[in-house]
Amino acid sequence: MTLALGPIAFAAPLALLGLLALPVIWRLLRAAPPAPRRTVFAPLRLLLGLEADENTQERTPWWLVLLRLVVAALVIFGLARPVLFPNQDAVGAGPLIVAVDDGWASAGDWDRRQAAALAHIDAAARDGRQVVLVLTAPDTSPIDPRAVDAAVARRDLAAAAPKAWAPDRAAAAEALTAARDAGRVPRAAAPLWFSDGIDHGDAAAFARVLAQFGSGKVYAPPGRAAPLGLRPPVAETNGFSTTVVRARGDGARDGAVVALDADGRALGRAPFAFDADATRAAAALDLPLELRNRLALLRVDGAAGAGAAQVLDDRWRRPSVGLAASSAAPERQPLLADLHYVEQALAPFAEVRRASLARLVSEKPGAIVLTDAGRVVGDEADGLARYVADGGLLIRFAGPRLAARADDLTPIRLRTGDRALGGALAWDEPQTLAPFAERSPFFGLAAPGEVTVSRQVLAEPTPDLSEKTWARLADGTPLVTSERRGRGRIVLFHVTASPEWSNLPLSGLFEQMLRRVAAFADAGPAGETSADGVWRLERALAPDGRLASRGVDAAPLTPSEFDAAVPGPAAPPGVWRSGPGARALNLLGPASTLAPLPALPGGL
């Protein structure tokens, strides 16, 4: 029951009956105390003639009685729960539909969103209106809207919490329509939608369903309260880069992406800044390989929400490298084989395996090493080109066959033939290495004077040759070149992988250079699966964008289910494991964007 007196309403008007007790309180305050009993005390004569410094009044002053009455009246008014302008935010009449987005984008301002929705539910309770509560990001139980008392809706909303996945507004719209047709929800109601400000692809359909019930309001977080998203990182020369996205360019905004290890310790910070009208901001961080291998999570500092974080798995830390070989068996004379030196250099920091080129292309490891293979043609060339375009790393080494007949899977055009001591393009003596340029991934490595090159394949001079060169000889000719192709990269060493053309494979510099090159690769497939072949959630991504210490209750997924999984209640984002392999499931992909709410239909 609610009592309204002008702009003030009382949610507990029965407490106002206490005002009837004010006259009694006044009588009690004005009552004089009983006269004191007089007793003769003999030594009292000693006090005669003394003048009193203070006079005590016989009755309580009127102003003090009035003050006490006012205090008592204010206490009574407070117990009556007064509300100022109770109907200024009221929406429509009749039942109230309160739709609340409780997906990942709502985690940052959940307390404000929840408090605002509860205030409307309290107003509906004062007016005796029923409430239909719709939470748009359900867990494993389906959305089942129905009209209930405001007290029940308040209890359900107070117990709700944001989820680590996106809202399913399409399911909410379908559930609302079905409940209306079944009579569980009235056909005429006043809708309120506390949105997260992001489209998620189904906002327009949900808004149209809400508008069918009647006129209402839609709320969205403004400015710096708007949610942010984080794309997966991209390996760079000395660390990684990533992109922070938002739905609207509504003012300048800056922040930082924090790199964390598995225990939540910070490994570095990558600052970013949005221009006033920009929806994307770049962030980059230089990180040594040793720290990069400890990365477990990237998250936007201060931006709660699972979409503002990226879980990293084993593919990011220890790359899987496939060595293209005609046979998986070891060579009889390993010291004369190119792959032997590459395998020994990669083994300390990568998972290395040998297989045919066709098999490696189908398995898609993080990197494929191709020694002097001559011209790659046909289906193998097409498959290898697709592998690189899809994000793979191709590492090639020169040799007589490549020098005689090159293909298109090289970062630069090559001259036919090679340069050697005693040849047409002869050196008087073996060439040493030039210091590595600052823009090279090898910058910071020492180029020992004892490392020399006696033979190499030459690059055709082009305007962009300097930009594609990572290492040079002392005479300026390229030793290592690279080019990005699609989402992947091709790296070419202009010497053999064995000591035939250079003693580089015999030096410690060879391992250091391959370590820097392998930093551009992920780890490819997760490796072996468990005995039953299913994926199980190991560590879940919490709604606030932090990695939980363990997984939540989630059913195992078969390999086909996991490959097609979209983060949601059946496949929460986080780290999933199958045997020794671990894979990360994240909300945002490399090309993901955040779109604002579309134009609302009439009445909203």
Side-chain angles (χ1 to χ4, degrees), residues 419 425-435 453 456 458 471-479:
R419 185 183 188 186
L425 299 173
W427 284 313
D428 294 333
E429 57 184 19
Q431 289 289 306
T432 57
L433 275 61
V453 174
Q456 68 168 157
L458 288 175
R472 298 178 182 273
L473 298 180
D475 64 355
T477 55
L479 175 65

Side-chain angles (χ1 to χ4, degrees), residues 544-556:
D544 63 356
R546 302 178 187 273
L547 265 180
S549 57
R550 64 179 184 86
V552 298
D553 293 334

Side-chain angles (χ1 to χ4, degrees), residues 247-566:
R248 294 194 307 263
D250 46 7
R253 185 174 179 182
D254 56 14
V257 176
V258 184
L260 305 170
D261 64 9
D263 296 325
R265 291 186 292 263
L267 303 178
R269 292 171 60 88
F272 67 87
F274 285 100
D275 293 334
D277 56 350
T279 58
R280 291 182 294 176
L285 177 65
D286 290 342
L287 206 62
L289 185 63
E290 292 75 12
L291 292 182
R292 175 182 158 176
N293 285 339
R294 292 169 51 192
L295 275 179
L297 181 71
L298 298 179
R299 61 188 304 266
V300 180
D301 192 21
Q310 284 287 329
V311 181
L312 306 179
D313 54 24
D314 294 339
R315 294 178 298 173
W316 175 262
R317 291 183 285 275
R318 186 174 176 85
S320 170
V321 181
L323 305 182
S326 57
S327 173
E331 299 90 348
R332 292 185 177 181
Q333 298 292 333
L335 296 182
L336 300 179
D338 289 351
L339 289 182
H340 168 75
Y341 295 93
V342 177
E343 187 173 21
Q344 293 300 312
L346 291 171
F349 58 88
E351 298 293 337
V352 184
R353 63 185 300 266
R354 298 191 184 198
S356 66
L357 180 58
R359 183 169 182 178
L360 291 176
V361 168
S362 65
E363 293 180 352
K364 294 181 173 57
I368 294 178
V369 176
L370 197 61
T371 54
D372 185 24
R375 186 179 181 88
V376 183
V377 296
D379 293 340
E380 285 188 341
D382 294 339
L384 195 56
R386 287 193 299 270
Y387 161 79
V388 174
D390 291 340
L393 173 65
L394 175 60
I395 306 174
R396 300 194 67 173
F397 288 87
R401 288 189 289 272
L402 184 63
R405 194 178 182 190
D407 52 47
D408 294 333
L409 291 171
T410 56
I412 43 86
R413 286 184 296 165
L414 300 177
R415 288 185 179 181
T416 302
D418 57 271
R419 185 183 188 186
L421 288 173
L425 299 173
W427 284 313
D428 294 333
E429 57 184 19
Q431 289 289 306
T432 57
L433 275 61
F436 298 114
E438 185 174 352
R439 55 174 296 275
S440 167
F442 308 134
F443 179 71
L445 299 180
E450 61 270 18
V451 175
T452 59
V453 174
S454 58
R455 193 170 180 177
Q456 68 168 157
V457 292
L458 288 175
E460 288 283 359
T462 57
D464 58 352
L465 179 60
S466 177
E467 297 177 1
K468 297 180 179 180
T469 300
W470 282 3
R472 298 178 182 273
L473 298 180
D475 64 355
T477 55
L479 175 65
V480 181
T481 53
S482 175
E483 181 187 39
R484 182 178 289 277
R485 294 277 182 91
R487 292 169 46 206
R489 183 176 291 276
I490 299 176
V491 179
L492 172 64
F493 285 76
H494 290 233
V495 294
T496 57
S498 68
E500 182 180 356
W501 285 13
S502 168
N503 64 357
L504 175 63
L506 300 177
S507 67
L509 178 62
F510 189 57
E511 176 185 333
Q512 294 175 323
M513 294 176 72
L514 284 180
R515 184 184 291 264
R516 297 280 182 96
V517 173
F520 288 87
D522 62 22
E528 301 177 8
T529 59
S530 59
D532 55 3
V534 299
W535 291 89
R536 293 179 173 84
L537 182 61
E538 181 178 63
R539 298 186 69 182
L541 187 62
D544 63 356
R546 302 178 187 273
L547 265 180
S549 57
R550 64 179 184 86
V552 298
D553 293 334
L557 300 177
T558 64
S560 59
E561 290 174 337
F562 184 78
D563 290 339
V566 176

Side-chain angles (χ1 to χ4, degrees), residues 14-75:
L14 292 179
L16 295 177
L17 295 177
L19 295 175
L20 299 177
L22 289 181
V24 178
I25 297 175
W26 178 80
R27 291 293 301 175
L28 291 175
L29 293 176
R30 293 289 296 174
R37 181 180 178 184
R38 301 182 67 86
T39 302
V40 178
F41 180 57
L44 192 61
R45 294 181 61 85
L46 299 176
L47 304 178
L48 293 177
L50 295 180
E51 295 183 359
D53 294 332
E54 296 182 359
N55 294 321
T56 302
Q57 296 184 3
E58 182 180 1
R59 293 182 178 274
T60 305
W62 68 269
W63 59 268
L64 184 57
V65 174
L66 179 61
L67 177 61
R68 290 171 178 173
L69 288 176
V70 170
V71 171
L74 291 177
V75 170

